[in-house]
């Protein structure tokens, strides 16, 4: 049985009904995914030659996540002391998000400096209908694959919820400072511009100095996703959940509340 859940423009109460909605409510647009902008507060890796000595100051970050919220790839900054802003997402349709099935290393530092095991990773989606929008920048000993702590919360997203977008470069291995020019392996990191959709600001790893192909440069399709304000979620949402009701934690997260 279909369960209809509405968040009113004027009321924050959640109303559940098994009856058909009124004609006015039925005409409201539906969204497969909710998203909001947050600060990525957790520093994951820094491009640093020695402890306390930073080369290009390139750094990767992840956000804090409430229950039911995920993100699409690490954020990145060229100032390691400044936290980037990015998007976190909440599935309103059961198949909007899927687990990443693996991570492919596309670049590694040659190890000329002790303790520098820098690597860029691109996620592997479960199938062609999903995309892992952003990647990971890591410094794991012997270039080990990102562990569960580094990948926790990163999800693949349904391809039809994305739009191709333009990109700009934020880093390449010529900027790293710790790699002799003769050993450069041609790697760069990019972000989408947000010109055609809502940019998740996730780092896009590329094993060249060229801009990433358009078919791996994605932002959220604003016509199929819904922006939620963290402090004042004043939006009207129609959610259809087939087979199972949304859990209370999902609704609380959607409303921007902190889940205890």
């Amino acid at each position: 049985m279909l369960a209809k859940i509405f968040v009113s423009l004027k009321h924050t109460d959640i109303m559940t009904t098994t009856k058909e909605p009124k004609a006015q409510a039925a005409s409201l647009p539906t969204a497969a995914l909710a998203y909001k902008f947050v600060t990525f507060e957790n520093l994951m890796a820094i491009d640093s030659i020695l402890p306390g000595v930073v080369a290009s100051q390139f750094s990767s970050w992840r956000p804090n996540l409430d229950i039911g919220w995920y993100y699409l790839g690490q954020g990145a900054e060229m100032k390691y002391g400044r936290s980037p802003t990015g998007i976190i997402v909440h599935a309103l349709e059961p198949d909007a998000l899927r687990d990443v099935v693996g991570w492919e290393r596309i670049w590694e530092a040659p190890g000329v400096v002790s303790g520098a095991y820098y690597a860029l990773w691109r996620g592997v989606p479960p199938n062609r209908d999903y995309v892992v929008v952003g990647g990971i920048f890591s410094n794991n000993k012997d270039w080990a694959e990102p562990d569960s702590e580094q990948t926790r919360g990163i999800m693949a997203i349904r391809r039809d919820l994305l739009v191709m977008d333009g990109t700009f470069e934020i880093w390449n291995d010529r900027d790293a400072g710790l790699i002799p020019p003769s050993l450069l392996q041609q790697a760069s990191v990019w972000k989408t511009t947000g010109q055609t959709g809502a940019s998740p600001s996730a780092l896009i790893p590329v094993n060249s100095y060229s801009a990433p192909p358009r078919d791996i440069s994605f932002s959220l399709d604003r016509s199929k996703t819904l922006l939620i304000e963290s402090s004042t979620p004043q939006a009207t949402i129609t959610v259809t959940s087939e087979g199972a009701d949304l859990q209370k934690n999902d609704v609380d997260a959607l409303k921007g509340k902190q889940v205890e």
Side-chain angles (χ1 to χ4, degrees):
M1 181 177 293
L2 298 182
K4 308 295 182 179
I5 299 177
F6 303 94
V7 179
S8 171
L9 274 169
K10 296 183 179 180
H11 304 283
T12 57
D13 294 332
I14 302 299
M15 177 174 63
T16 304
T17 177
T18 56
K19 298 180 181 179
E20 289 297 320
K22 295 180 180 180
Q24 182 178 3
S27 65
L28 294 171
T30 59
L33 191 83
Y35 69 95
K36 58 184 175 181
F37 291 92
V38 300
T39 300
F40 283 35
E41 298 179 345
N42 301 288
L43 179 62
M44 301 303 292
I46 304 173
D47 169 16
S48 177
I49 298 177
L50 295 170
V53 180
V54 176
S56 67
Q57 298 187 347
F58 176 70
S59 56
S60 59
W61 302 73
R62 77 166 185 214
N64 293 319
L65 295 169
D66 289 337
I67 296 174
W69 288 87
Y70 304 92
Y71 70 119
L72 303 177
Q74 286 184 342
E77 271 292 348
M78 286 303 295
K79 296 291 185 181
Y80 75 95
R82 181 177 63 195
S83 302
T85 297
I87 280 176
I88 61 174
V89 294
H90 175 91
L92 301 180
E93 292 183 356
D95 64 345
L97 300 171
R98 285 287 183 267
D99 291 332
V100 179
V101 299
W103 293 91
E104 173 191 10
R105 188 172 66 226
I106 67 163
W107 171 86
E108 64 187 45
V112 295
V113 177
S114 177
Y117 296 102
Y118 301 118
L120 288 170
W121 303 83
R122 183 179 296 148
V124 180
N127 58 56
R128 295 174 62 87
D129 294 330
Y130 289 83
V131 175
V132 183
V133 174
I136 286 176
F137 173 66
S138 68
N139 184 18
N140 297 340
K141 184 174 175 57
D142 297 327
W143 304 281
E145 184 172 335
D147 59 30
S148 59
E149 184 65 15
Q150 292 170 308
T151 61
R152 177 168 53 87
I154 301 179
M155 299 290 277
I157 182 173
R158 219 169 63 202
R159 186 179 293 271
D160 68 295
L161 303 180
L162 302 170
V163 291
M164 289 186 288
D165 205 350
T167 55
F168 63 96
E169 185 185 64
I170 60 172
W171 178 88
N172 62 64
D173 65 358
R174 290 174 295 192
D175 297 330
L178 54 80
I179 304 173
S182 61
L183 297 178
L184 291 176
Q185 299 180 9
Q186 296 194 0
S188 54
V189 171
W190 303 69
K191 290 184 182 181
T192 52
T193 60
Q195 293 177 320
T196 62
S199 173
S201 295
L203 67 87
I204 303 172
V206 180
N207 54 352
S208 74
Y209 297 142
S210 301
R214 293 270 291 176
D215 61 0
I216 67 168
S217 306
F218 291 107
S219 290
L220 297 182
D221 186 337
R222 294 190 182 98
S223 70
K224 298 178 181 179
T225 57
L226 181 69
L227 174 62
I228 299 295
E229 297 295 338
S230 298
S231 57
T232 55
Q234 297 178 353
T236 298
I237 311 160
T238 304
V239 181
T240 300
S241 176
E242 298 189 21
D245 293 340
L246 290 178
Q247 299 298 311
K248 180 180 183 298
N249 284 338
D250 297 326
V251 176
D252 287 343
L254 180 60
K255 293 172 64 179
K257 295 181 178 179
Q258 180 72 32
V259 177
E260 299 296 336

